[in-house]
Amino acid sequence: MFVRTALSAVFFFFFFFFFFFTHAQEVPAVQVVFTDKGLQYAKNVLTNWIQDTLELITLPDVKAQISLGFLGQLDYTLSGVEMSKCDFPDPWVQFSQSASGSGLKSSLAGLNMALSGDWRVQWGILKAGGSFDVGVFQVGVASEQHLGRDSGGRVCVSQVSCEATTGQVDLRLHGGSSWILQPFARHLEAFIRRRIQARLCPTMEDLLETLEQYLQAMKVRLQVNQDLMVDLPLTSRPAVQAESLRLGLKGEVTSVEEPKDPPFDPQPFVVPDHAHFMLTAALSDFTLNSASFSYWAAGLLHTFIDDSMLPVLFPDLPVVLQVYARTTPTFSFHPGIVTLILPGAIKAFALQANATHTPLFKLHLDSSYQGSVRADGGRLKSSLRMDNLTLTLAATTIGPFKTEALENLSSLTMKMLVLPPLNERLSRGVLLPQSRHVQLVQTAVSVEEGFMDLHSDVELRLNHGHLGQEEC
């Protein structure tokens, strides 16, 4: 018994050790930070949207009965109920950390609304009807939501607690036969109060279920282009602090056809606080380098220059050049600078009459570049300059030869013919992410040691009557 117990303890120790260090310590390559400024802005926009939308809502009919004992029962219907006025107070919302979990706390107190509609009543063969006005005062709801990570690496949200209150209800009946229902007005007011209070928290739960369905539909593996995919599952649960919500994403780029893990790991980095912005998205150099590795491992970083583009003969045979990356091109981020090291090579072949290739020589073409990145006019723009270029003879079947002249020519070609059109395209930039309902404004970019971050405010555009859904 002792041996079995000891073996079980050892097994669970190693299981815990393995699980902890292979799951809990996964380092994100992409981090997203939502600040309290963004949370409060979203709250204000949503509050205005709710208030505008409430005025357009027609509430469902209410059918109920009042028992009159031996006199039978009174059937009544409230129909065509519309909200004629709504005093929607400023809600309170904040990031929260508690024993029940990290997430959000929100409360709404002092909601007052005026409703109007039609009433109908039937008591035996007696029927009557008219209109009504009702005021509902001091409606409140306080709730707490927990944010987590599901098995697929998506954000999940659940309701931890909810408490609803309803104050005074004042019902006024109109119509020639309103005296029939008037004795039961207090009963109807209590019914309306209970009905509203009973529906507040379930309505919150329904909204969270809708949000959860939207979150579950979000893709965590996205196609970058025809060759690459990027994996963006959460690496851990959302980190909630007093002033921010932080998400860590995997951020690894792989080949569509031949996915391989790169032979390097993401390094930890800390995104600085940009509390005066609503949103920060930070990208480590691991993401760019995993894309670079995937291109290289899939054999996509090479090209051939044939005799139609290179009218060179050796001595009377056309020459074909193979230009390729010897190893993975490497990006690195440093304060204010993006660097690229490109270890290239050139193989020269003579094209024989029978279409076979005869190796002539191989050159190592190593170059390094520095670039800058900026946000301007809703676009991410950049520029690139060459730092260094060296050309060395790696192998030859035609005897040694000097490479200085070729090196100078290659450097001049890069500076005069390659970089200018490339920088012209980079200066036009690419559009920053945006959608029908969300647009980045006042965006800035900074390059730090090991990562680049984009910090921005956000403009939400919500249509009256529906929030709309974005493709995810």
Side-chain angles (χ1 to χ4, degrees):
M1 177 65 72
F2 173 79
V3 173
R4 186 169 62 181
T5 303
L7 288 176
S8 297
V10 171
F11 170 80
F12 282 111
F13 170 79
F14 279 109
F15 175 81
F16 174 80
F17 184 90
F18 175 80
F19 182 85
F20 183 83
F21 280 97
T22 56
H23 290 77
Q25 298 298 312
E26 188 173 5
V27 176
V30 174
Q31 296 186 42
V32 180
V33 181
F34 300 95
T35 65
D36 184 67
K37 178 183 179 181
L39 179 65
Q40 300 308 319
Y41 169 76
K43 176 205 71 174
N44 293 334
V45 172
L46 191 59
T47 297
N48 293 333
W49 177 84
I50 291 174
Q51 188 154 8
D52 292 341
T53 303
L54 284 175
E55 297 176 358
L56 306 176
I57 290 178
T58 298
L59 301 177
D61 293 351
V62 176
K63 296 182 179 181
Q65 299 171 338
I66 300 175
S67 175
L68 301 179
F70 68 90
L71 296 177
Q73 65 182 24
L74 185 72
D75 299 316
Y76 66 90
T77 301
L78 305 179
S79 61
V81 183
E82 296 181 348
M83 188 170 298
S84 55
K85 186 178 180 181
C86 178
D87 179 14
F88 201 93
D90 188 28
W92 172 84
V93 60
Q94 70 173 22
F95 297 116
S96 71
Q97 294 175 303
S98 64
S100 57
S102 299
L104 298 171
K105 282 185 177 180
S106 60
S107 69
L108 176 70
L111 171 63
N112 303 318
M113 49 188 170
L115 307 173
S116 59
D118 299 317
W119 63 269
R120 296 191 306 276
V121 66
Q122 181 174 353
W123 181 26
I125 61 172
L126 183 62
K127 296 181 181 181
S131 63
F132 72 88
D133 295 299
V134 60
V136 184
F137 304 96
Q138 298 301 311
V139 177
V141 59
S143 64
E144 181 177 355
Q145 292 77 37
H146 173 252
L147 298 176
R149 172 184 180 268
D150 69 9
S151 59
R154 299 174 181 86
V155 175
C156 58
V157 58
S158 59
Q159 187 156 282
V160 177
S161 64
C162 181
E163 181 179 358
T165 58
T166 305
Q168 180 184 353
V169 176
D170 183 15
L171 176 65
R172 303 294 175 89
L173 301 171
H174 310 288
S177 303
S178 61
W179 60 269
I180 298 176
L181 203 56
Q182 195 65 50
F184 307 103
R186 301 288 78 80
H187 173 89
L188 292 175
E189 289 172 351
F191 174 82
I192 293 172
R193 183 188 304 110
R194 291 194 303 270
R195 184 72 177 263
I196 292 175
Q197 187 164 322
R199 284 301 307 159
L200 285 173
C201 285
T203 299
M204 290 288 295
E205 191 70 38
D206 292 343
L207 291 173
L208 288 179
E209 288 182 4
T210 300
L211 175 60
E212 180 69 9
Q213 292 173 5
Y214 179 80
L215 293 173
Q216 290 299 308
M218 293 184 69
K219 298 177 182 178
V220 295
R221 182 170 172 81
L222 305 175
Q223 187 149 358
V224 179
N225 54 34
Q226 63 180 4
D227 300 311
L228 299 179
M229 302 286 292
V230 59
D231 293 322
L232 292 171
L234 291 173
T235 58
S236 60
R237 289 179 298 177
V240 179
Q241 300 171 339
E243 298 295 327
S244 66
L245 165 66
R246 292 174 178 257
L247 305 178
L249 310 176
K250 186 174 183 179
E252 180 178 332
V253 180
T254 57
S255 169
V256 172
E257 299 295 333
E258 301 178 21
K260 295 180 181 178
D261 289 330
F264 46 83
D265 297 316
Q267 298 302 307
F269 65 98
V270 178
V271 181
D273 289 330
H274 296 294
H276 50 294
F277 286 97
M278 300 179 188
L279 169 71
T280 297
L283 176 79
S284 77
D285 49 23
F286 171 85
T287 300
L288 290 183
N289 287 327
S290 64
S292 179
F293 170 78
S294 297
Y295 271 126
W296 178 79
L300 298 176
L301 297 183
H302 73 93
T303 188
F304 285 93
I305 302 175
D306 59 23
D307 58 321
S308 65
M309 296 179 285
L310 186 72
V312 177
L313 300 179
F314 180 82
D316 56 355
L317 297 174
V319 174
V320 176
L321 300 181
Q322 181 188 10
V323 182
Y324 61 98
R326 299 196 316 274
T327 58
T328 305
T330 304
F331 292 88
S332 59
F333 292 131
H334 306 284
I337 300 172
V338 181
T339 65
L340 168 63
I341 297 176
L342 180 55
I346 302 173
K347 286 183 179 179
F349 303 89
L351 182 60
Q352 303 291 340
N354 60 2
T356 60
H357 290 70
T358 301
L360 300 177
F361 58 84
K362 181 172 76 169
L363 301 172
H364 284 177
L365 179 61
D366 297 311
S367 55
S368 61
Y369 307 85
Q370 285 193 5
S372 61
V373 184
R374 69 187 187 280
D376 180 28
R379 290 177 172 268
L380 194 63
K381 302 179 179 181
S382 58
S383 61
L384 193 68
R385 66 178 177 85
M386 189 174 69
D387 268 353
N388 186 45
L389 184 147
T390 58
L391 193 67
T392 56
L393 182 62
T396 178
T397 61
I398 59 174
F401 57 90
K402 294 183 178 181
T403 60
E404 288 83 356
L406 284 174
E407 180 179 300
N408 292 334
L409 179 61
S410 299
S411 179
L412 185 63
T413 300
M414 286 296 300
K415 292 178 180 179
M416 300 297 293
L417 299 180
V418 177
L419 288 178
L422 176 61
N423 277 320
E424 197 278 329
R425 293 182 60 183
L426 294 175
S427 67
R428 294 200 298 267
V430 295
L431 282 173
L432 291 168
Q434 58 182 341
S435 68
R436 287 183 303 157
H437 300 295
V438 182
Q439 185 173 359
L440 301 180
V441 294
Q442 305 297 327
T443 305
V445 175
S446 61
V447 181
E448 308 295 341
E449 189 64 35
F451 68 95
M452 175 180 71
D453 74 25
L454 179 149
H455 29 283
S456 180
D457 285 337
V458 177
E459 184 176 296
L460 298 178
R461 300 173 179 175
L462 304 183
N463 298 327
H464 294 329
H466 69 282
L467 280 173
Q469 286 191 346
E470 300 300 328
E471 183 178 351
C472 54

